Amino acid sequence: MARMPSTERRGAVVAALMLVMALAALDATIVSTAVPQIVGTLGGFSVFSWLFSGYLLAATVTLPVYGKLSDTFGRKPVLIAGCVLFLLGSALCALAWNMGALIAFRVVQGLGGGALQGTVQTLAADLYPLKERPKIQAKLSTVWATSAVAGPAVGGLITAYTDWRWIFLINLPVGAVALWLIVRHLHEPARTTTTTGPRTEVWKRVDWPGALAVFAAGGVLLTALVQGGVAWAWLSAPSLALFAAGLLCVAAVVVIERRAADPVIPGWVWRRRPIAAVNLALGSLGLVMVAPTVFLPTYAQSVLQLAPMAAGFVLSVMTLSWPVSAALSQHVYRRIGFRNTAMLGIGAAACVLFTFPLLPYPGSAWQPALLMLLLGAALGLFQLPLIVGVQSTVGWAERGTTTASVLFCRQIGQTVGAALFGAVANGVLSARLGGAGSLDSVAKALDDPDSVADADRLRRAVDAAVDAVYVGAACAAVVCLLVLLFVAPRRFPVIQETPAEPSAPDATGTPDATGTPDATGTPDVTGTPDEARAPDTQLPPQKPWLTHSSPDETHTD
């Protein structure tokens, strides 16, 4: 039997993953606080939104590519490349001389950020067996929660007492420590995958045309969604041209990927019911999350008349209950299974979202804060079982692609949700105010009550618009519940992972594989389930990860 991994070494890698996650999580919240100072120094007010859109586009469209590369070459080189690219982008952002350069360098940051998001989640599943994965996921969720709360405060302190460029420079020492820990302590076992052979030959077999097509399709469509209704009207020539070009790129992706020997987005991520169901469910979660993260701060400041700091607290309470609920979800899904636990969580979330429009006008701050606390608890119970469950249905050679697929769908859901619910909110405002109007313009007008003739009428309009958004988010939660009910299998086919020791070769001389799909493309479950637990939560033994080099299972479709 191979040696178990040392606690110190695995702890060092987990610390590195948490630092890397902090880099990605802090990015959006900390940069947003510096926008006034950045615009004051560099100008470019009309295009400053691309500081966020450019990063989001680059990080989202590269997720599937990095997922496939991590399955081909291993997690370590992809994570190191992502860290280096992110830190390079940070250094360049600090040196930016105008808004155009800063936006371009933010795109470079996003190219690295895509590698950080997907690879960290994949490594979390590699490091821990199914029984212990809630521990690492709870730690990563805590990083996100802490970042959401601390980001604006840290950004405010930096911009108040130093130059805005330090917002980017502060990433360098944190990233350097994370890189050192990864290089020194992360040692992946040698594994037998579907892409064996010399590294140069494997590199040539990577589906680069498919990667480029995915990048182009995602970039064009996300640009159309992000800028539609903002930079130009939805039915204007630029919007229609972008959507048409995006659809052509999607068609090119389908053609290229069907012909590729080893595609970036393989067909099995949609043919296997567990993965397809989680993709759709996490896409719906992206829609759900738009309501609290995008529209609640405006509601808190405009309707409740809270200061920006207090408005941020109303939202941040959700990030306090989310990781706690995620950590405790293991006690639920071990008894009733992954799907039923996720259905319980999203059902509770739908009830909370439907309750929001029932709040009195104007109400008190504690009322939406309580709802956000309950929403965080519900979504923690929903998301973690799905991620842990879907990662447990695939072997090492497919885990990166699977994880990137679900994260990609969640990001797409958020982008679509922002565009869709933005149109809904603006439509309600226009109907209430009797003419064209946007939520942003009304919110800015309410910042100066003396300049508004009928402030109460505007606040009631904002209240109605945000209520409509929450109803839309609740409907998205119901759709997600239906997806889990009718698409997801009742029991996830969990692969029984064995210690990473050489397997006996078969007749062809290839090491025997565990978790190989059957003729229907569904992974075979090996090993005897623990009868004291649900069949889809069968607990594999600890893998001697990081300290022993030996082949792992192959898993091909």
Side-chain angles (χ1 to χ4, degrees):
M1 179 69 69
R3 285 191 302 118
M4 300 296 286
S6 65
T7 303
E8 294 79 8
R9 176 164 297 199
R10 190 169 69 170
V13 175
V14 170
L17 297 185
M18 294 177 70
L19 288 175
V20 168
M21 184 65 80
L23 286 176
L26 277 170
D27 184 80
T29 55
I30 200 171
V31 172
S32 63
T33 59
V35 166
Q37 196 180 76
I38 293 173
V39 172
T41 303
L42 302 179
F45 177 79
S46 61
V47 295
F48 84 88
S49 62
W50 275 98
L51 290 176
F52 308 98
S53 300
Y55 180 92
L56 174 67
L57 291 173
T60 301
V61 300
T62 54
L63 271 169
V65 179
Y66 285 126
K68 186 62 180 179
L69 291 177
S70 72
D71 284 343
T72 303
F73 299 105
R75 326 298 188 208
K76 183 174 181 178
V78 173
L79 187 57
I80 290 176
C83 283
V84 171
L85 203 53
F86 186 90
L87 296 179
L88 174 62
S90 298
L92 292 173
C93 285
L95 299 174
W97 54 90
N98 58 36
M99 184 62 75
L102 183 58
I103 290 172
F105 298 147
R106 283 282 288 166
V107 171
V108 175
Q109 255 194 321
L111 294 175
L116 303 186
Q117 293 181 41
T119 312
V120 166
Q121 292 284 355
T122 305
L123 267 170
D126 289 341
L127 281 169
Y128 287 85
L130 178 58
K131 179 175 62 176
E132 299 180 26
R133 277 176 200 161
K135 295 180 181 179
I136 180 64
Q137 291 290 351
K139 291 177 181 178
L140 296 179
S141 297
T142 301
V143 170
W144 276 102
T146 304
S147 300
V149 176
V154 173
L157 289 174
I158 291 176
T159 54
Y161 296 102
T162 63
D163 189 78
W164 61 266
R165 299 178 190 273
W166 281 99
I167 281 181
F168 299 103
L169 292 174
I170 199 174
N171 291 335
L172 301 183
V174 176
V177 172
L179 267 176
W180 179 78
L181 291 172
I182 292 167
V183 172
R184 181 177 177 85
H185 295 286
L186 178 57
H187 303 297
E188 295 183 275
R191 298 176 185 272
T192 303
T193 69
T194 58
T195 52
T196 56
R199 184 170 290 268
T200 55
E201 293 300 318
V202 175
W203 184 263
K204 292 179 181 178
R205 289 199 296 270
V206 173
D207 179 25
W208 297 115
L212 182 61
V214 169
F215 190 89
V220 172
L221 287 175
L222 288 176
T223 300
L225 290 169
V226 169
Q227 294 299 102
V230 179
W232 48 69
W234 284 109
L235 297 179
S236 63
S239 184
L240 295 176
L242 280 174
F243 278 115
L247 292 177
L248 289 175
C249 289
V250 170
V253 169
V254 173
V255 172
I256 293 171
E257 296 298 82
R258 287 176 66 89
R259 296 178 178 178
D262 197 11
V264 170
I265 303 181
W268 51 258
V269 299
W270 291 106
R271 288 198 300 268
R272 298 180 191 171
R273 286 183 61 193
I275 303 175
V278 174
N279 282 341
L280 295 173
L282 268 292
S284 300
L285 175 64
L287 288 167
V288 168
M289 288 302 299
V290 169
T293 57
V294 177
F295 292 92
L296 184 62
T298 300
Y299 171 87
Q301 293 182 61
S302 300
V303 178
L304 303 181
Q305 302 181 58
L306 299 178
M309 187 68 72
F313 175 76
V314 172
L315 173 61
S316 66
V317 294
M318 180 178 70
T319 64
L320 301 178
S321 58
W322 191 315
V324 174
S325 173
L328 297 176
S329 66
Q330 60 176 313
H331 302 294
V332 183
Y333 69 66
R334 287 181 182 178
R335 288 169 173 78
I336 65 175
F338 294 123
R339 188 192 73 156
N340 291 340
T341 303
M343 290 174 62
L344 180 64
I346 198 63
C351 293
V352 172
L353 292 166
F354 275 124
T355 302
F356 189 90
L358 303 179
L359 294 179
Y361 172 86
S364 301
W366 69 266
Q367 294 166 332
L370 176 60
L371 290 185
M372 292 307 99
L373 190 72
L374 296 175
L375 183 63
L379 293 180
L381 198 64
F382 162 75
Q383 179 177 259
L384 181 66
L386 289 182
I387 292 179
V388 171
V390 76
Q391 288 179 330
S392 302
T393 65
V394 294
W396 183 94
E398 295 176 344
R399 192 170 290 143
T401 299
T402 300
T403 303
S405 173
V406 298
L407 295 179
F408 178 73
C409 289
R410 187 179 67 184
Q411 293 283 78
I412 292 295
Q414 287 181 314
T415 306
V416 172
L420 175 63
F421 293 144
V424 169
N426 292 335
V428 172
L429 277 178
S430 297
R432 287 273 179 157
L433 300 178
S438 70
L439 192 63
D440 289 339
S441 62
V442 172
K444 289 175 182 177
L446 288 171
D447 286 339
D448 185 11
D450 295 334
S451 65
V452 180
D454 191 353
D456 185 70
R457 180 166 177 254
L458 291 183
R459 289 194 181 93
R460 287 185 180 276
V462 171
D463 179 62
V466 176
D467 285 349
V469 169
Y470 269 82
V471 170
C475 292
V478 171
V479 170
C480 182
L481 182 64
L482 295 176
V483 166
L484 293 175
L485 182 63
F486 294 109
V487 180
R490 295 185 62 184
R491 295 186 177 92
F492 281 40
V494 175
I495 291 177
Q496 177 73 12
E497 296 176 292
T498 56
E501 295 180 328
S503 303
D506 59 16
T508 62
T510 303
D512 188 23
T514 61
T516 303
D518 59 17
T520 63
T522 303
D524 182 29
V525 182
T526 61
T528 304
D530 183 351
E531 294 186 3
R533 304 182 185 276
D536 63 347
T537 56
Q538 158 187 344
L539 304 180
Q542 171 70 55
K543 297 170 67 175
W545 171 232
L546 303 171
T547 58
H548 182 73
S549 296
S550 58
D552 194 9
E553 72 272 9
T554 58
H555 192 99
T556 59
D557 191 46

